[in-house]
Amino acid sequence: MAENTTDGGWFEGLRPGDLDGSRDAIESGSADSPADWPERAIEAGFVADEGEYYALLHEATVAAAETAVRERERADDQQLKHGVRAMDDADRTANELAERLAEWAGSVYDESGSGVDYARDVAARDPEGPVEERVVSLASTIVDLSDEARELESFIEARAPIAAPNLAALAGPVLAARLVSLAGGLEALAKKPSGTLQVLGAEDALFAHLRGHAPSPKHGVIYTHEYVNGTRPADRGSAARALAGKLTIAARIDHYSGDRRPELEAELDERMRTIRARAGDGEGDDE
């Protein structure tokens, strides 16, 4: 409903066919109190009857919702989500096809190999005959997928500090993008407790634990952070909790204010020094 002092209605000053104006009025406006808006719309000459009012209102609200969805999907954090998922898909597909190539090329050439590096060697060959043409073509496709994954990684490294500056500084751009992707967006990540962020990516292990078939996981994808995988096993639970706590704070600052807070890094570094100092004392949490 349009923001005004006369409570004339969201349709005040609009033409019935002005969908953009109606959408903006519904999207950003307000009214001081409820009223019989269909009746007022008829009195104002905006519509002929109540049926026409609700038809126009429906059309305008649907348009407003579609605009909001488009804007949300184009947001920086959503681009990070799509980018990291595409990178992972490209990497996974390249590696799966590289296994297939190793089998096929091994039946054609005397030399054998494996992985994307072997695919690069095969892709550089001059094929002789239709079989080799297909093998070399497959190898070229693998190389293209691998190269695309690295281009996507560069995109993530450039965009993450823009979409989530504090999260990217603490986690690194790629891990920050993974956390945003797993949560479904920066806002969703910012609303999660640190304990949930800590085990993002370990859902299978968590569900197994809840069913009584496995111990509680200490960490999910944050294991890739040096502060977790570089800490001795006895202290990884504490390290994961400390990291998750700071990442949660970083995500909330990025979403709600967006200002850069370098002190978060200093605080995390100090906490990790304390945790790692236990190694010299022979202590550990063993969780």
Side-chain angles (χ1 to χ4, degrees):
M1 296 178 180
E3 188 170 11
N4 55 74
T5 56
T6 61
D7 273 345
W10 61 268
F11 43 82
E12 188 173 38
L14 297 175
R15 292 177 289 101
D18 186 1
L19 183 58
D20 289 339
S22 298
R23 181 196 63 215
D24 292 342
I26 291 170
E27 206 171 43
S28 60
S30 64
D32 294 334
S33 61
D36 188 344
W37 303 115
E39 181 179 347
R40 291 197 180 186
I42 295 170
E43 292 174 354
F46 183 67
V47 294
D49 53 42
E50 186 173 303
E52 184 180 355
Y53 171 83
Y54 283 114
L56 288 172
L57 178 62
H58 173 75
E59 188 177 7
T61 52
V62 168
E66 289 176 344
T67 298
V69 169
R70 282 196 300 271
E71 290 176 351
R72 181 72 191 97
E73 280 301 305
R74 291 170 182 168
D76 285 337
D77 64 324
Q78 295 301 305
Q79 301 313 306
L80 275 186
K81 179 186 76 174
H82 293 308
V84 76
R85 290 178 180 178
M87 181 186 74
D88 288 344
D89 287 344
D91 265 332
R92 184 182 63 255
T93 303
N95 287 320
E96 289 176 352
L97 287 175
E99 292 181 12
R100 174 61 57 204
L101 176 71
E103 294 181 15
W104 195 355
S107 72
V108 175
Y109 300 113
D110 293 334
E111 309 85 359
S112 62
S114 62
V116 174
D117 287 341
Y118 178 59
R120 291 187 186 279
D121 291 339
V122 175
R125 300 187 183 192
D126 292 325
E128 297 180 3
V131 173
E132 290 189 15
E133 284 180 2
R134 301 301 354 123
V135 171
V136 170
S137 176
L138 177 59
S140 297
T141 298
I142 294 167
V143 171
D144 288 343
L145 280 169
S146 181
D147 289 347
E148 179 61 28
R150 301 290 69 78
E151 290 292 333
L152 287 165
E153 185 175 14
S154 296
F155 165 79
I156 291 165
E157 289 173 345
R159 298 299 298 180
I162 297 172
N166 293 288
L167 188 66
L170 289 180
V174 174
L175 177 55
R178 290 196 194 286
L179 291 169
V180 168
S181 174
L182 287 166
L186 182 59
E187 180 178 5
L189 184 65
K191 292 179 178 179
K192 292 186 183 299
S194 62
T196 300
L197 183 150
Q198 182 177 334
V199 295
L200 281 175
E203 286 76 14
D204 289 346
L206 180 60
F207 292 147
H209 165 68
L210 295 175
R211 291 193 298 268
H213 301 311
S216 175
K218 296 180 184 179
H219 41 63
V221 296
I222 64 170
Y223 177 77
T224 61
H225 196 287
E226 190 272 337
Y227 273 165
V228 179
N229 65 45
T231 298
R232 65 175 186 151
D235 291 322
R236 281 181 188 157
S238 293
R241 285 193 299 275
L243 177 60
K246 288 301 180 185
L247 292 180
T248 298
I249 294 171
R252 290 171 181 170
I253 294 171
D254 287 339
H255 174 64
Y256 292 108
S257 66
D259 59 309
R260 184 77 172 84
R261 304 278 183 89
E263 63 270 22
L264 290 176
E265 296 163 69
E267 292 167 1
L268 178 60
D269 291 344
E270 178 59 31
R271 176 59 181 149
M272 289 307 306
R273 278 193 292 271
T274 301
I275 291 172
R276 288 179 168 182
R278 295 175 181 174
D281 299 331
E283 298 179 0
D285 57 18
D286 290 321
E287 293 180 11

